[in-house]
Amino acid sequence: MAGAASPAELAQEGNDGSPPPSVYGAGKEMEADSFPHPHAPYPSAAIGPASLSPKTSASTRKKKKQRDEGPMASACAWVVEYQLGLAINLVLLLILTHLCFPRARRHTRKFFELSYYDAETGRYGAGWNDMSMVFYWIVLFTGLRVGVMDFILIPFAQWGGVRNRKGRVRFAEQGWLFFYYGFSWSLGMYIYYNSPYWLNLHEMWTDWPNRQMDGLSKWYYLVQYAFYLDQIFVVNIEERRKDYAQMFTHHIVTCALICASYGYHQTKVGTVILCLMDVVDIILPLAKMLKYLHFNVACDIAFGVFMVTWFVARHVLYVIVIWSVYADSPVIIQSGCYAGKNGAIVGPFPAPQSFGHRFQPFFDPEGLLCWDNQILGTFLSMLLFLEVVALIWFGMIIRVAWRVIHGGTAEDSRSDDECDEEEEEDDLLDEEEQHVGTRMHGWPSDLRRSSPSSSSSLDRGMTLITSPPLEEEVGVEAINLKGRSTSLSRRYKKAASTSGATLPGHSDRKDLLGRIGCDKTA
């Protein structure tokens, strides 16, 4: 840091007895009243609390903010802090219960095995028991995400040159999404490629209602449902971005579509849409990871591929699928209600007057299953809503790209709120942890030692005159090495009390760079 004394200059103090230049000011003599206690050694006092007021006050403000949080925020922070341990314990509890209590296995196997198996056809039905497996995978995803980020991705980011904690955590977040979407898209494309409706949209609506599906397709659909439910939790524990409202609503509508299409046995079109969505979510995290690792040229190339893929997948192919829902399904699917299992389905017949029959497919695998214009309109409304959100995001992507092309910089435009201030404080403490040992290594031995007289001098209000550079560099008292927690939990705690989000269309050209572009180099 500019203005700081080197170890060689500090070592000169041992020859003539004069204080080091960086402690009392270069070329200046210490005044007599600057050292009230003749035996108070300046080295220990120089690194005492008096020289740490800016950083100590920041830490004090942070602790006071945590004390002021309400019980709900504290409970959420506790869940976030121990989410890895909670996930591991819940999974182990289920496994041990399944192994040790044979009478409970008819209940516990629903968490590990696919339900509603038909031995005659070798296929699976759908019903309420499938939610047990969804719950199991939500817990599993929660633990996997934290474990992979904390023990694989964050150390890899540090090894790759991402210097501050904020950048390492965001790199890990994008890495987790990259690995998951890479897996889910590959599996979805495998199912789609080996299906009779491969590149044939009309085939998505034939043979309805087919109330059974193969095991791999069912497992894929339930795991996707669990992942998006888990993402609702993740969006609320991550730092609030300016597109929080759009992203949160997007996940809610996506989960509703997955659940409704599963219950109404429209998983064919659901698999196609999931494949179209997932391919974009592979390239975006990859581009951001490359940016964090300082591969700027590769990031620019990945961002260009991302823009093209986004447009083709979400504004061309996705619209074609929506058109097929609107135009083809009413022609091929005969409106009315059906009942029974595969091979013994009866119908169509008129729908009952009550509204409750619309929920029967979610609870009874052989119950009433209806299809009419109102149900079709509900599906179309949710699909079109996702397209509107995608158009808003794509408009922001175009503005970011246009700005970069015309010589601007692609900067992260996260909200400049208290979260950013706390991240800066965390990064400052990180830098102190990394450099304080180096700074003190070259000092004279009396500068590095601790003396009881220094604390007593400080207690009597005796403060040394120190230069600003030393105050900026040394912060031993501000470093907490006892209660060290994971890098994820430190940031998630403050996310539990964050509030506020901007509405669509109220952000500038940089608003979505954190999610739809390359972040500023950490």
Side-chain angles (χ1 to χ4, degrees):
M1 185 175 295
S6 65
E9 293 172 332
L10 291 171
Q12 294 177 0
E13 187 273 338
N15 298 328
D16 54 6
S18 60
S22 66
V23 177
Y24 298 112
K28 294 182 180 180
E29 296 292 332
M30 184 175 181
E31 299 178 4
D33 57 353
S34 299
F35 224 138
H37 195 282
H39 301 292
Y42 63 85
S44 298
I47 60 174
S51 63
L52 298 171
S53 55
K55 297 164 189 173
T56 305
S57 61
S59 178
T60 303
R61 289 196 308 270
K62 190 172 181 180
K63 293 179 180 179
K64 182 178 184 300
K65 177 179 178 296
Q66 293 176 354
R67 288 196 303 267
D68 293 341
E69 291 178 349
M72 181 60 68
S74 299
C76 293
W78 182 84
V79 172
V80 171
E81 171 75 14
Y82 299 105
Q83 56 184 313
L84 178 59
L86 289 172
I88 293 175
N89 280 282
L90 283 173
V91 171
L92 289 178
L93 178 63
L94 281 173
I95 294 175
L96 291 175
T97 303
H98 183 76
L99 295 176
C100 299
F101 299 95
R103 292 184 178 180
R105 289 177 185 173
R106 65 188 183 92
H107 300 291
T108 56
R109 66 164 43 97
K110 295 183 293 186
F111 293 93
F112 309 108
E113 302 175 3
L114 296 173
S115 302
Y116 305 107
Y117 177 70
D118 188 345
E120 296 180 0
T121 61
R123 298 167 71 85
Y124 294 85
W128 180 249
N129 288 342
D130 294 327
M131 288 304 299
S132 299
M133 174 166 282
V134 172
F135 171 78
Y136 171 75
W137 276 97
I138 290 175
V139 175
L140 206 59
F141 277 135
T142 301
L144 282 174
R145 180 179 182 272
V146 178
V148 170
M149 289 175 64
D150 263 353
F151 301 108
I152 298 177
L153 293 173
I154 288 179
F156 180 81
Q158 187 171 7
W159 174 82
V162 183
R163 298 180 59 184
N164 59 33
R165 181 185 301 123
K166 187 175 184 179
R168 293 193 295 269
V169 171
R170 289 183 176 173
F171 174 89
E173 291 171 355
Q174 300 307 314
W176 166 253
L177 294 177
F178 172 75
F179 287 123
Y180 174 77
Y181 284 121
F183 166 77
S184 65
W185 180 78
S186 301
L187 180 58
M189 286 300 297
Y190 173 81
I191 295 172
Y192 180 36
Y193 179 77
N194 291 280
S195 68
Y197 53 93
W198 168 252
L199 301 180
N200 186 353
L201 297 181
H202 291 272
E203 189 65 26
M204 293 189 305
W205 314 108
T206 60
D207 195 26
W208 191 91
N210 183 359
R211 308 193 77 162
Q212 293 183 347
M213 58 196 307
D214 64 273
L216 182 61
S217 298
K218 177 172 180 173
W219 184 85
Y220 166 78
Y221 223 76
L222 293 178
V223 169
Q224 284 280 61
Y225 186 35
F227 178 80
Y228 277 99
L229 288 174
D230 182 68
Q231 283 299 105
I232 295 175
F233 169 71
V234 169
V235 167
N236 284 279
I237 65 174
E238 286 183 347
E239 177 185 344
R240 295 285 178 93
R241 274 76 165 181
K242 288 187 176 181
D243 68 328
Y244 166 79
Q246 300 99 306
M247 182 61 67
F248 180 74
T249 310
H250 175 275
H251 288 335
I252 292 291
V253 175
T254 300
C255 290
L257 274 170
I258 294 176
C259 181
S261 61
Y262 184 75
Y264 278 86
H265 302 282
Q266 297 291 1
T267 55
K268 297 178 182 178
V269 63
T271 300
V272 175
I273 292 175
L274 285 172
C275 289
L276 292 177
M277 295 296 176
D278 288 352
V279 65
V280 177
D281 293 326
I282 298 173
I283 306 173
L284 172 60
L286 176 62
K288 296 172 74 174
M289 291 168 67
L290 292 171
K291 187 65 176 180
Y292 283 122
L293 295 176
H294 311 295
F295 295 108
N296 296 330
V297 176
C299 173
D300 294 339
I301 295 173
F303 184 68
V305 174
F306 160 73
M307 288 184 61
V308 175
T309 306
W310 178 292
F311 177 77
V312 173
R314 298 195 175 183
H315 302 302
V316 177
L317 299 179
Y318 179 68
V319 173
I320 293 175
V321 173
I322 293 178
W323 175 257
S324 179
V325 175
Y326 170 76
D328 297 336
S329 64
V331 175
I332 299 174
I333 297 179
Q334 188 174 358
S335 297
C337 293
Y338 303 81
K341 64 178 183 179
N342 273 21
I345 294 179
V346 295
F349 47 85
Q353 295 296 326
S354 63
F355 188 78
H357 71 279
R358 300 183 184 274
F359 298 98
Q360 283 195 28
F362 302 99
F363 299 96
D364 189 355
E366 301 179 6
L368 207 60
L369 176 63
C370 300
W371 188 262
D372 53 32
N373 290 333
Q374 291 182 351
I375 297 174
L376 175 62
T378 303
F379 277 100
L380 281 173
S381 299
M382 291 189 288
L383 292 171
L384 289 172
F385 175 83
L386 294 183
E387 177 63 17
V388 170
V389 174
L391 283 170
I392 294 173
W393 281 335
F394 190 65
M396 296 179 179
I397 296 172
I398 295 297
R399 289 197 291 270
V400 171
W402 182 265
R403 180 173 182 175
V404 173
I405 290 174
H406 285 75
T409 57
E411 296 180 354
D412 192 352
S413 60
R414 302 288 201 274
S415 301
D416 295 326
D417 55 10
E418 58 186 351
C419 287
D420 292 333
E421 179 183 350
E422 290 172 353
E423 289 290 356
E424 291 174 2
E425 295 169 4
D426 289 343
D427 293 342
L428 184 60
L429 293 179
D430 268 356
E431 292 177 3
E432 290 176 0
E433 292 177 7
Q434 294 173 5
H435 297 297
V436 67
T438 304
R439 297 295 184 189
M440 297 183 65
H441 179 70
W443 289 16
S445 59
D446 56 349
L447 266 176
R448 296 195 300 267
R449 73 172 182 264
S450 174
S451 175
S453 61
S454 63
S455 59
S456 61
S457 300
L458 290 172
D459 292 339
R460 289 192 295 268
M462 302 175 184
T463 304
L464 288 174
I465 298 178
T466 57
S467 62
L470 188 57
E471 295 177 3
E472 292 290 329
E473 290 182 356
V474 182
V476 177
E477 298 291 335
I479 300 176
N480 180 15
L481 298 178
K482 295 180 180 180
R484 189 174 182 86
S485 58
T486 63
S487 58
L488 289 176
S489 61
R490 281 193 294 266
R491 191 172 63 82
Y492 292 153
K493 283 182 180 179
K494 52 182 172 285
S497 59
T498 311
S499 61
T502 58
L503 296 177
H506 286 251
S507 303
D508 57 20
R509 288 178 291 182
K510 305 181 295 178
D511 277 349
L512 278 195
L513 189 64
R515 295 197 183 271
I516 46 177
C518 301
D519 281 357
K520 182 178 178 182
T521 304

